[in-house]
Amino acid sequence: MRVLLVEDDRMIGQAVQTALRQDGYAVDWVRDAEAADTALSAGRFDMVLLDLGLPGRDGVWLLRTMRGRHDTTPVLIVTARDEVSDRVAGLDAGADDYLVKPFDLEELGARIRALLRRSAGRGESVFEHRGVRIDPSTREVSRDGEPVTLSPREFAVLEALMLRPGAILSRSQLEDRLYGWGESIESNAVEVYIHGLRRKLGHDFIQNVRGVGYFVPRTDAQEDR
Ligand code: CA
């Protein structure tokens, strides 16, 4: 999952970036609203963590700009402004949720997971598919009830594929979810993670369409829906 972090406070930004990277997110960090606007116009993000009080244009401007061009990327406002009117302005401008500073990093993680679930149209917090069960809050994975140990990046690949069974993700879409700006990407990294996942979860669990990408096949029940 790729997160755009918009935060001008260096200490908060660093703490959030470090915590989210440890959780396996790809995090790109910008310090102002216009840089965020440029980043959002150029690439795809799974969500935005947005500080409202920024130098120059503020977070509400960014929200209005995004929603004005029908960018529906989920936005979680993270702000020191505890005035009710600021939060209302942010939500009215199109934010999906908010968190008031100072906040607990664990609460931030839980809100991000909830937002990503909602944006994928899934209410449940644990995903189960063809005998494989993953819990994004604890990062526990099991296959037919037996625990499976995955690296953080294997987990990130599996989570992205299991959020939308049947949807094909290309290698570059998976790389986007694994690496932030400036992180070097080994050329065959995705293949290595897919190989590891197949070894641990069964070769057929993840399938590929040559030259297109990877997917987890839907079950018959899902096809009937
Ligand atoms: Ca700020």
Side-chain angles (χ1 to χ4, degrees), residues 6 13 15-16 21 33 36 42 49 59 61 70 81 88 100 105 121 145 150 153 160 181 196 206 208 211:
V6 191
V16 170
R21 281 189 174 162
L49 270 181
W61 172 85
H70 308 295
R81 297 185 188 182
V88 169
V100 175
L105 284 170
L150 301 182
R153 282 184 168 151
W181 297 330
I206 297 173
N208 61 306

Side-chain angles (χ1 to χ4, degrees), residues 7-9 51-55 80 101:
E7 172 62 74
D8 61 315
D9 184 290
D51 182 20
L52 281 189
L54 295 164
K101 295 176 188 168

Side-chain angles (χ1 to χ4, degrees), residues 12-214:
I12 295 172
Q14 246 157 22
V16 170
Q17 184 178 48
T18 303
L20 293 184
R21 281 189 174 162
Q22 277 168 359
D23 279 349
Y25 294 97
V27 183
D28 295 326
W29 177 15
V30 294
R31 272 72 165 178
D32 65 71
E34 286 173 342
D37 186 37
T38 303
L40 286 162
S41 303
R44 191 191 159 280
F45 290 87
D46 295 291
M47 70 162 304
V48 181
L49 270 181
L50 177 63
D51 182 20
L52 281 189
L54 295 164
R57 297 184 186 274
D58 68 7
V60 172
W61 172 85
L62 178 69
L63 268 167
R64 293 211 172 100
T65 304
M66 286 174 68
R67 299 318 188 210
R69 62 164 179 260
H70 308 295
D71 180 341
T72 56
T73 309
V75 175
L76 172 59
I77 297 175
V78 182
T79 179
R81 297 185 188 182
D82 53 6
E83 295 275 328
V84 172
S85 60
D86 290 325
R87 296 205 297 265
V88 169
L91 292 169
D92 280 347
D96 299 272
D97 196 5
Y98 68 87
L99 199 54
V100 175
K101 295 176 188 168
F103 55 84
D104 185 278
L105 284 170
E106 292 202 358
E107 183 179 3
L108 174 67
R111 283 184 189 262
I112 288 174
R113 290 191 294 273
L115 206 55
L116 292 172
R117 283 200 304 275
R118 286 205 298 275
S119 77
R122 308 188 63 138
E124 72 272 37
S125 60
V126 174
F127 307 144
E128 187 151 10
H129 187 68
R130 297 170 63 220
V132 174
R133 183 183 164 91
I134 70 170
D135 183 342
S137 63
T138 60
R139 314 191 73 74
E140 285 171 348
V141 180
S142 63
R143 177 192 182 196
D144 299 331
E146 294 294 316
V148 175
T149 304
L150 301 182
S151 72
R153 282 184 168 151
E154 285 175 341
F155 186 91
V157 169
L158 181 63
E159 185 182 23
L161 292 170
M162 281 183 67
L163 263 175
R164 294 180 186 84
I168 299 174
L169 293 175
S170 69
R171 192 172 84 170
S172 71
Q173 284 174 319
L174 287 168
E175 284 172 350
D176 276 353
R177 285 173 167 76
L178 294 171
Y179 299 95
W181 297 330
E183 288 186 90
S184 59
I185 304 175
E186 312 92 275
S187 63
N188 65 341
V190 167
E191 284 84 349
V192 170
Y193 300 133
I194 295 282
H195 177 80
L197 287 168
R198 283 175 165 163
R199 191 167 49 77
K200 294 169 185 175
L201 303 175
H203 185 80
D204 292 341
F205 189 74
I206 297 173
Q207 299 190 6
N208 61 306
V209 179
R210 194 176 295 276
V212 181
Y214 300 93

